[in-house]
Amino acid sequence: FILVVVLCIFSILGVSLFGDLADDDFGRFDRAFITMFRLAAGEGWPASLAVLDEDGSIHWRTALFMCLFTIVAVWVLLQVRERKLLDLRKSPLEPLIARLAYVYIDDADLSSQLQSLFGVLDSNGTGTLSSSEFCAAIKKLEVKPSMYVTESDFASLTQGGRLCDARGLLDEDGFER
């Protein structure tokens, strides 16, 4: 819906700015809308709209219009769409994952970081984490924003318990997977 609104706005602007210069692409609203849709789809610059003036200099009005449309329609709106998709899959451990992703160097370092984190979470030193121990330990971590993990989140994070042992406890290997 947002893309259609943006296409309409830029189509109206296109007709106003370039209707007399590029009648094939911007002579009427319907033509301009199709042209803007083709631009949003990545088809390229309209052939009837010159980028250069007769003297070889850049036609700034055209260049600015097309660049602005590309930035708004393609880059910003796709980022909004991608962010919405990511929000649907957002983990309750997102702040912790972001912090680990920021500081690790390679796979071996990440493994080491995860082992250290497991040691911190395993407050009773048994080498395993129950769901209640995991949830309580996550709350105590000094990560901003603070995290809150429920029992159902633990079940989801352990793939329905497949990463846990027969007693439903998460060991270090399951934690790293």
Side-chain angles (χ1 to χ4, degrees):
F1 176 73
I2 294 173
L3 183 59
V4 172
V5 171
V6 170
L7 287 172
C8 287
I9 290 170
F10 275 89
S11 297
I12 292 167
L13 284 171
V15 169
S16 299
L17 294 172
F18 309 113
D20 55 334
L21 298 174
D23 188 52
D24 291 344
D25 291 317
F26 291 101
R28 295 188 331 231
F29 175 80
D30 57 338
R31 291 180 186 169
F33 188 85
I34 296 297
T35 300
M36 300 315 296
F37 183 81
R38 290 171 62 191
L39 269 173
E43 197 168 303
W45 200 282
S48 65
L49 196 56
V51 182
L52 300 176
D53 288 328
E54 288 101 26
D55 63 353
S57 63
I58 294 177
H59 192 268
W60 287 106
R61 183 174 58 173
T62 305
L64 183 63
F65 177 79
M66 292 301 173
C67 289
L68 185 62
F69 174 76
T70 302
I71 289 169
V72 170
V74 177
W75 189 71
V76 173
L77 293 176
L78 289 179
Q79 295 296 324
V80 167
R81 180 181 161 268
E82 185 67 24
R83 185 65 193 160
K84 284 187 178 187
L85 290 175
L86 290 176
D87 282 347
L88 294 176
R89 295 179 276 170
K90 196 170 190 176
S91 166
L93 300 177
E94 188 68 34
L96 182 61
I97 293 168
R99 188 172 176 183
L100 285 171
Y102 182 73
V103 297
Y104 91 98
I105 300 168
D106 56 19
D107 290 344
D109 183 52
L110 179 60
S111 181
S112 173
Q113 297 270 349
L114 289 172
Q115 288 171 1
S116 297
L117 178 60
F118 184 83
V120 169
L121 296 176
D122 184 20
S123 58
N124 60 9
T126 60
T128 59
L129 293 169
S130 67
S131 62
S132 58
E133 181 183 12
F134 180 79
C135 294
I138 288 293
K139 274 189 209 175
K140 293 179 184 175
L141 289 177
E142 295 182 18
V143 178
K144 298 292 181 199
S146 58
M147 299 175 291
Y148 179 75
V149 179
T150 64
E151 302 275 335
S152 64
D153 291 331
F154 179 81
S156 177
L157 292 167
T158 59
Q159 299 174 2
R162 286 192 298 269
L163 298 177
C164 297
D165 64 16
R167 298 173 297 160
L169 301 174
L170 183 64
D171 63 9
E172 196 171 334
D173 290 335
F175 182 76
E176 192 168 337
R177 282 188 268 146

